[in-house]
Amino acid sequence: MEQEKPRLAVFKFASCDGCQLSLLDAEDQLLAVAGALEIVYFPEATSRMEDGPYDIALVEGSVTTLHDAERIQQIRKDSKYLMTIGACATAGGIQALRNWADTDEFIRAVYAKPEYIQVLESSTPISDHVKVDFELRGCPINQYQLIEVIQSLLAGRKPRTPQHSVCLDCKRRGTVCVTVAQGIACLGPVTQSGCHALCPSYHRGCYGCYGPAPQSNLVSLATHMEKEGDSRTEISHRLHNFNAYAPAFRNESQRLLEQDGE
Amino acid sequence: MADRTIKVETLTRVEGEGGLYVRLSGDAVDEVRLEIYEPPRLFEALLRGRPLEDTPDITARICGICPVAYQMSSVHALESALDVTASAEIRRLRRLLYCGEWIESHGLHMHLLHAPDFLGFDSGLDMAKQFPDEVNRGLRLKKHGNQLVDMLGGRAIHPVNVCVGGFYRMPRRDEFQKLIPDFEWGLNAAVETTRWVAGFEFPDFETECEYISLSHPDEYPMNEGFIKTSSGDSIEVSHYEDEFQERHVPHSTALQAIRKSTGRPYLLGPLARVNLNREQLSPTARQLADEVGLEPLCKNPHRAIIARGLEIVHAYEEALMIMRGDHPTGKPRESYSYQAGEGMAATEAPRGTLFHRYVIDEAGKIVKAVIIPPTSQNQAQIEADLKQWVTQVISDDEQQTARQCENLVRAYDPCISCSTHFLNVKIERT
Ligand code: SF4
Ligand code: SF4
Ligand code: SF4
């Protein structure tokens, strides 16, 4: 008899579907991965919907409703490994910008009948609610990293994903630094790589879609940007992006805004 | 017979999250609700106060399936507010980028999401076991779409190269040339795919609705034009909000749109576009439309899969024409200076007309953003069509009925994550 394949489930919370689409976008590897795994729950791709337990749960999106805050608890109970995919699930996503605002006012600005809408005041990452075994960064994630992490979980080894900043990849690719050469503001020094330093290769600054790199010196970068003539509000806006609620970006933008308020 | 409801808790093979609720008394349909429970992400509110340059990057995140459409509508609307006119070269490249997104999105929907319904599979992956050649061909088409967006935009999901005024950097000649042989293969493969889907067995089903799409005298509509309707109206994009209205219904986090003048819903998307602009299709696509026997005004939503195939053929042919043409030169983007103002634009996302309006201040900050995505516009029409469809497919087998309802909803390829402001079928008999 064929050995039982590991059961994979894909769940969605508040998100754009881009990260789970990365799995479908791995065209060449998709059928092979689908062969090594049993995809037992993935509403975007299949009408098959099986209950847990699951060996690997991929979770996309952030928690923004009471119902979702409860749903993630059950998913955790049902899953051996729970891995978040993308900036929404890992840091709250762009929708976390409302954590700094009055959510009711936001809803009134968008909906004619705000009373029909029930959401939480904040958008929070999955790890604020349950234990997460692995977080894959990016908005969107990189499909090769996703396949690597799935393979490593299956093989029981540690996933090989980079921890260095985007700058190092600029050097590796031989991209001329856009900050040094053209004075363009770039979050590359404080952003974790995973994109092979994409934006600078398109002659623009990094806008931080992979979130803060470990040990990044945000104060130093912000001070440099201030010296270049950017206002603190401008710099904190730059950090108020897809990973705005990631602790390192959150703290630095807070610091800048408080300084500004003084 | 007792009253009953049919409910699909989670609608599958659609983008985003939603459900479907049908209430019957006996065999009479009382109510059909497309329930979009996708949590709202409030984009229009969070854009306020941000530099206008952030808009294409942020609005892309409304939808991972059609980020290019959000980027295109954003940049066109903001350019109109700034009085910037993109060069002919940039215009050509923007169409090329859109070709990539149509090939990718339609390729995905046809092969992985919709075709399994006609052939009785749960998913494209299951279908691949019996139809390996067709599914592999589909995955290759989809991949070409991704490669094109990747080449011009830097990456397939949430491209980084689009900006107000044009692009951050021009594509290099070798990047163009590299894709041509694959696209030559893809054009033929897309023709085969369209013949294949046109041979499916389609249910006898017709709906009455108003079809709406952009239209342009010289080209198949993508980035520009006026709004054409099957009732014979031509509307300037700047009058969009005078003619169409979004309403908020209790059962959905997506707004529902109606035509103001009639109070009735309408339909956007590939079927509407082909119905209204068949003459503008590329030569191969136009000929193919005749060959596979697509009616001049096709009223069967299940047949939208054929329209998608034709649009893929068109997109390949146009992409090849652009890539074989003179390599674009000139500056990658137009410069501009800030001025207070308002700008609107509509472009053709894979799922239909996407409207954006922005008010900006003299410092280049967003004061107000209005985004009317295709799914929220189609939603009311989908409900109306379902109401009619349920009476045709109702049986004592609830699961079967629910499945038939889902099939119809998938025919529209609703993108629930884009209805920022989603499916699961429940049938209730009372
Ligand atoms: S992280 Fe970005 S790409 Fe992924 S679901 Fe969220 S918005 Fe989409
Ligand atoms: S361009 Fe940005 S990421 Fe690259 S080296 Fe310079 S600062 Fe670092
Ligand atoms: S360079 Fe920065 S913004 Fe650009 S893709 Fe990489 S991490 Fe994201």
Side-chain angles (χ1 to χ4, degrees), chain A residues 14-20 60-61 85-89 93-95 138-141 242, chain B residues 41 43 61-64 157-158:
Chain A
S15 68
C16 83
D17 283 46
C19 286
Q20 49 178 310
E60 173 193 271
I85 50 172
C88 294
I94 186 77
Q95 55 274 17
C139 177
I141 56 167
F242 314 98
Chain B
R41 297 168 71 206
F43 275 86
R61 267 72 180 184
I62 291 175
C63 177
I157 303 173
H158 307 327

Side-chain angles (χ1 to χ4, degrees), chain B residues 7 10 36 134 199 236 251 283 289 309 342 380 391 412:
Chain B
K7 204 169 168 127
T10 302
I36 295 190
E134 287 81 357
E236 294 288 337
H251 61 268
E342 185 181 40
T391 58
Y412 300 93

Side-chain angles (χ1 to χ4, degrees), chain B residues 32-271:
Chain B
V32 173
R33 293 199 310 241
L34 189 56
E35 296 177 334
I36 295 190
Y37 53 83
E38 173 87 18
R41 297 168 71 206
L42 309 170
F43 275 86
E44 290 150 307
L46 61 83
L47 281 165
R48 293 172 308 176
R50 296 192 67 106
L52 66 90
E53 285 78 8
D54 290 356
T55 316
D57 293 324
I58 292 179
T59 56
R61 267 72 180 184
I62 291 175
C63 177
I65 324 294
C66 58
V68 169
Y70 284 90
Q71 296 193 325
M72 289 300 110
S73 293
S74 297
V75 294
H76 280 279
L78 287 165
E79 284 162 18
S80 138
L82 295 162
D83 286 325
V84 170
T85 312
S87 69
E89 305 280 81
I90 289 167
R91 222 181 151 268
R92 216 153 55 98
L93 289 176
R94 284 179 169 168
R95 279 187 76 87
L96 184 60
L97 188 63
Y98 236 136
C99 287
E101 180 154 287
W102 279 15
I103 295 172
E104 193 280 327
S105 177
H106 286 352
L108 169 76
H109 183 258
M110 290 174 74
H111 296 88
L112 292 180
L113 311 184
H114 200 194
D117 283 341
F118 294 96
L119 302 169
F121 295 94
D122 278 342
S123 74
L125 296 175
D126 290 337
M127 195 173 77
K129 292 172 194 132
Q130 223 173 305
F131 294 91
D133 296 346
E134 287 81 357
V135 173
N136 278 312
R137 183 176 63 200
L139 289 173
R140 251 179 104 173
L141 299 181
K142 184 171 143 352
K143 183 173 180 170
H144 290 163
N146 279 335
Q147 285 173 321
L148 183 49
V149 177
D150 192 87
M151 183 270 287
L152 254 180
R155 65 179 166 197
I157 303 173
H158 307 327
V160 302
N161 195 21
V162 170
C163 61
V164 178
F167 294 90
Y168 286 97
R169 112 162 144 64
M170 280 292 198
R172 296 187 308 263
R173 187 181 295 273
D174 61 303
E175 291 175 315
F176 258 46
Q177 310 262 297
K178 212 169 57 194
L179 291 181
I180 291 177
D182 277 347
F183 272 63
E184 285 167 344
W185 178 90
L187 175 57
N188 289 323
V191 169
E192 284 312 309
T193 288
T194 309
R195 289 191 180 124
W196 177 57
V197 300
F200 289 168
E201 228 175 280
F202 293 98
D204 240 339
F205 178 63
E206 285 206 337
T207 58
E208 277 313 319
C209 71
E210 192 175 17
Y211 296 97
I212 285 175
S213 110
L214 283 177
S215 198
H216 191 278
D218 312 319
E219 58 193 19
Y220 196 74
M222 276 183 192
N223 272 306
E224 282 161 72
F226 62 93
I227 294 154
K228 185 173 176 178
T229 79
S230 55
S231 54
D233 297 337
S234 299
I235 302 162
E236 294 288 337
V237 171
S238 56
H239 291 161
Y240 207 90
E241 286 164 287
D242 303 331
E243 296 283 335
F244 306 99
Q245 186 185 11
E246 282 188 307
R247 286 184 310 193
H248 195 177
V249 294
H251 61 268
S252 177
T253 55
L255 299 174
Q256 293 197 348
I258 50 161
R259 190 76 206 268
K260 273 188 188 168
S261 56
T262 59
R264 296 178 60 88
Y266 56 93
L267 193 78
L268 309 168
L271 195 59

